[in-house]
Amino acid sequence: VSKEGSERLIASAFDYAIKHKRKSVTIVHKGNIMKFTEGGFRDWGYALAKTPAYAGKIVGWDDCGGKPAPGQILLKDSIADITLQQVLTRHDEVDV
């Protein structure tokens, strides 16, 4: 896991979400166990959302209380283990 590779992957997800007018992007990670690499993946995603390229388009959960303004895409994160279960039980909560 590298910062550059992570940013490239996350930017692709952001661009897809913007182009296809999706509601949210979820960063799925194992940051609870692999704090530097996977925790970095999560942190780099939130930092990327605040860059000029995505400011006003992508908004983090903590920045909006889970309620983005109209036209904004919500950025959230989740631990991989629970996310895989939620995809099956609450699939409407996972967009990109």
Side-chain angles (χ1 to χ4, degrees):
V1 174
S2 70
K3 182 177 181 183
E4 296 79 19
S6 296
E7 288 176 339
R8 194 169 47 247
L9 178 64
I10 296 165
S12 293
F14 288 174
D15 294 340
Y16 177 90
I18 292 166
K19 180 179 179 182
H20 295 282
K21 300 182 185 336
R22 306 307 296 203
K23 292 186 254 179
S24 68
V25 174
T26 304
I27 297 172
V28 180
H29 60 89
K30 287 288 288 179
N32 58 331
I33 302 299
M34 303 172 74
K35 298 196 184 325
F36 178 72
T37 55
E38 294 289 325
F41 181 73
R42 178 200 57 229
D43 295 343
W44 299 325
Y46 279 108
L48 185 62
K50 293 181 178 185
T51 63
Y54 299 108
K57 298 175 188 171
I58 308 284
V59 62
W61 183 276
D62 291 340
D63 297 325
C64 70
K67 296 180 183 180
Q72 289 183 328
I73 297 168
L74 177 63
L75 175 60
K76 50 190 176 176
D77 70 275
S78 182
I79 303 294
D81 302 343
I82 191 66
T83 304
L84 298 176
Q85 179 184 5
Q86 288 176 342
V87 166
L88 296 173
T89 60
R90 299 189 318 221
H91 55 85
D92 57 323
E93 294 179 14
V94 180
D95 207 12
V96 175

